[in-house]
């Protein structure tokens, strides 16, 4: 069975939380370029990179890839690789804990001994069905 990628569902409230640092960074840059000192301008440019690039990367780069053996999770520069055989439970949640999920309509993936990760696939039912199918195939081997 071929790999399948799932984009993260994005809640407006979560997007706003990620866009806030972007707006502050751009505002700070604009203010410093117009009003600030040369040192302040350099600081503003340097702070623009993480304040603008990281949230944008997370908004555009959060997805989940199901392969025959693994669940690969990407959220901006962050990566998780979970073997399907190590998944112990998948539970719906609305937890506010941090994770590679851009929606509060989340799935908690318990894996390994004490590990868990929160995700929010857009096509949730398809994701769950495919995950269940792949886990059965892995268990059969």
């Amino acid at each position: 069975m071929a790999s399948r990628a799932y984009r993260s569902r994005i809640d407006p409230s979560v997007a706003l939380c990620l866009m806030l640092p972007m707006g502050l960074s751009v505002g700070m840059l604009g203010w410093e370029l117009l009003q600030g000192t040369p040192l302040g301008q350099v600081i503003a440019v340097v702070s623009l990179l993480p304040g603008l690039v990281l949230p944008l990367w997370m908004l555009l780069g959060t997805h989940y890839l199901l392969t025959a053996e693994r669940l690969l999770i990407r959220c901006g520069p962050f990566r998780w690789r979970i073997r399907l055989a190590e998944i112990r439970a998948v539970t719906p949640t609305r937890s506010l804990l941090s994770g590679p999920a851009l929606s509060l309509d989340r799935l908690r993936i318990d894996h390994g001994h004490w590990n868990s990760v929160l995700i929010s696939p857009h096509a949730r039912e398809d994701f769950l069905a495919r995950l269940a199918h792949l886990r059965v195939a892995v268990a059969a081997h």
Side-chain angles (χ1 to χ4, degrees), residues 25 28-29 32-33 39-50:
S25 293
M28 183 176 138
L29 176 64
E32 283 298 328
L33 290 177
L39 178 60
Q41 292 170 351
V42 170
I43 292 170
V45 169
V46 170
S47 72
L48 181 68
L49 293 175

Side-chain angles (χ1 to χ4, degrees), residues 11 16 21 30 35 49 55-56 58 80 86 88 94 109 116 124:
D11 284 351
L16 181 63
Q35 307 287 329
L49 293 175
L56 190 59
M58 292 171 69
W80 291 259
E86 293 178 356
R88 293 181 289 113
R94 294 195 57 83
I109 309 286
S116 67
R124 182 178 174 156

Side-chain angles (χ1 to χ4, degrees), residues 10 13 25 37 45 47 49 64 66 77 90 96 111 117 125:
I10 302 174
S13 59
S25 293
T37 64
V45 169
S47 72
L49 293 175
Y64 320 106
L66 280 173
V90 179
L96 295 175
H111 60 97
V117 65
E125 297 307 318

Side-chain angles (χ1 to χ4, degrees), residues 62-80:
T62 298
H63 65 273
Y64 320 106
L65 180 68
L66 280 173
T67 70
E69 296 179 0
R70 295 185 189 277
L71 167 60
L72 306 173
I73 302 170
R74 294 191 175 149
C75 180
F78 308 105
R79 309 278 190 263
W80 291 259

Side-chain angles (χ1 to χ4, degrees), residues 1-2 4 6 64-73 82-91 107-111 117 119 121 123-139:
M1 184 176 276
R4 171 96 194 266
Y6 296 86
Y64 320 106
L65 180 68
L66 280 173
T67 70
E69 296 179 0
R70 295 185 189 277
L71 167 60
L72 306 173
I73 302 170
I82 301 168
R83 291 175 25 119
L84 297 180
E86 293 178 356
I87 294 177
R88 293 181 289 113
V90 179
T91 312
L107 297 172
R108 178 183 162 148
I109 309 286
D110 294 319
H111 60 97
V117 65
I119 64 171
R124 182 178 174 156
E125 297 307 318
D126 182 61
F127 176 88
L128 287 169
R130 189 171 188 89
L131 178 61
H133 176 77
L134 289 170
R135 288 180 66 207
V136 167
V138 166

